[in-house]
Amino acid sequence: MPLFTVFTPTFNRAHTLHRVFESLQAQTCRDFEWLVIDDGSTDDTPALMARYQSEARFSVRYLREPHRGAHHVHNLALREARGQFNIKLDSDDGCVPEALACLKHHWENIPAARRESFSGVTGLCRDQNGHLVGSRFPSDPLDCSAAELEYRHKVRGEKWGFLRVDVLRQFPYPENVPGNFIPESYIWCQVSKQYVTRHINEELRIYWTDAPSLVHGPSSPRTNAEGHRLMFKMVLDLESGWFFTAPLRLLRAAAQYSRFAFLRGLGLAAQFRGLKSFGGRLLWLAALPVGFVLWRRDCVRFPQA
């Protein structure tokens, strides 16, 4: 059984997958498998992956699925993963040759008696020109939850690392959701309530900025309204206690919750009942006028067919 499952979701990215493959071929740590899940590509991805399977110096598994969206692919990857750790490497990105060895080293530096409380290890990203993406961690190593990282330490920007597969399997995405995207914060909010992460100031992922996102295209906000509503609901239910640390951030989340709830056709009573925490309901009530205005703006910009 490999230590890492390197998971790559892909959709019509035959022209960029070589970045992932070449990065993995160069890894100094060989204790991994590459799991590629194709979400309905119509380009040359199948032929390309067949060639990679014949050339790779590591295990390559390629699964083709009908186009259903990122959250379905994520759940399938967790069911299929054979590694102890899951590390997502997008189909247009790469990583430095020492990336997996570095992550393994820092995990093993966590005392064995404490590892059960850790979800994984996270490092930094740099772009294809070698420039740091986002901000550094205030100390190295920094052991804290994702919520602490955001609200207390105010660290921003892309980060990259692994999470334990057994932890991720506790928090799957719901699959009966219209649209093709649920933001990753839906999962991070839940992981953050129970686990901490070790954060290290080492640039491990190469984040290319030349390819458009697979999920953030110029579409109506109605397309993935339910996925966004669920994510902001999770933020309000689980993180409203950080209000006095980051009030504006949480009020914005509350406004977005009501905005996307309105886009889903949910009235005020349903929005109120949808929230479980007292703090989340107070934030929702305070931000409701802003959420209403955002919804009306959406209705003007994207009239319903």
Side-chain angles (χ1 to χ4, degrees), residues 18-305:
H18 67 93
R19 299 171 184 167
V20 186
F21 178 69
E22 291 163 4
S23 294
L24 296 179
Q25 283 281 70
Q27 287 303 299
T28 58
C29 170
R30 315 301 296 179
D31 195 2
F32 69 92
E33 64 168 350
W34 187 27
L35 175 61
V36 180
I37 300 184
D38 187 343
D39 190 29
S41 291
T42 57
D43 62 3
D44 294 331
T45 297
L48 179 67
M49 289 305 305
R51 178 164 67 84
Y52 287 163
Q53 285 176 313
S54 67
E55 295 176 0
R57 298 192 293 270
F58 48 86
S59 171
V60 179
R61 290 194 290 145
Y62 173 58
L63 305 179
R64 295 189 69 186
E65 293 289 309
H67 185 57
R68 295 193 297 165
H71 53 297
H72 290 277
V73 171
H74 171 92
N75 286 353
L76 176 59
L78 291 183
R79 293 193 294 269
E80 290 287 334
R82 295 172 180 167
Q84 179 182 351
F85 303 130
N86 181 81
I87 184 164
K88 181 184 174 187
L89 188 55
D90 285 331
S91 54
D92 57 345
D93 288 339
C95 57
V96 302
E98 304 80 16
L100 297 184
C102 177
L103 291 169
K104 177 184 176 183
H105 166 76
H106 284 284
W107 176 258
E108 291 175 346
N109 274 355
I110 300 171
R114 297 180 56 208
R115 286 180 200 159
E116 189 60 29
S117 64
F118 281 78
S119 61
V121 178
T122 293
L124 303 175
C125 303
R126 65 183 183 223
D127 66 19
Q128 68 269 33
N129 300 311
H131 302 132
L132 177 68
V133 176
S135 54
R136 293 186 178 274
F137 304 118
S139 61
D140 184 359
L142 171 65
D143 296 339
C144 69
S145 69
E148 288 177 290
L149 190 70
E150 178 177 359
Y151 296 115
R152 176 170 294 140
H153 300 294
K154 296 179 172 53
V155 173
R156 302 286 182 258
E158 288 287 330
K159 303 293 180 280
W160 186 71
F162 71 81
L163 287 170
R164 287 165 40 194
V165 170
D166 64 322
V167 168
L168 280 172
R169 284 174 176 163
Q170 299 175 49
F171 310 108
Y173 286 115
E175 296 199 352
N176 58 340
V177 175
N180 60 11
F181 181 62
I182 303 173
E184 290 183 354
S185 293
Y186 176 87
I187 290 177
W188 275 108
C189 285
Q190 298 175 82
V191 172
S192 182
K193 291 298 289 186
Q194 299 184 37
Y195 299 93
V196 297
T197 299
R198 172 148 292 189
H199 302 89
I200 56 170
N201 279 323
E202 298 197 39
E203 298 171 19
L204 303 178
R205 173 187 174 197
I206 303 170
Y207 179 73
W208 289 71
T209 59
D210 62 345
S213 168
L214 294 178
V215 294
H216 296 299
S219 60
S220 166
R222 287 190 180 87
T223 303
N224 293 307
E226 180 63 1
H228 283 86
R229 184 191 74 84
L230 289 172
M231 184 272 286
F232 286 115
K233 163 184 157 52
M234 197 66 71
V235 170
L236 295 179
D237 278 340
L238 299 183
E239 298 181 354
S240 59
W242 290 97
F243 174 76
F244 293 104
T245 304
L248 292 179
R249 195 167 183 82
L250 282 163
L251 284 168
R252 284 195 292 267
Q256 293 294 340
Y257 168 76
S258 58
R259 170 199 178 192
F260 286 109
F262 281 129
L263 286 171
R264 286 289 293 148
L266 298 178
L268 298 181
Q271 292 182 37
F272 178 83
R273 288 194 304 269
L275 296 169
K276 303 305 179 185
S277 74
F278 178 73
R281 287 174 169 178
L282 286 179
L283 285 165
W284 165 77
L285 185 61
L288 187 57
V290 177
F292 181 84
V293 169
L294 294 174
W295 167 61
R296 292 302 304 160
R297 184 190 65 181
D298 291 333
C299 292
V300 172
R301 291 181 177 178
F302 302 94
Q304 201 161 8

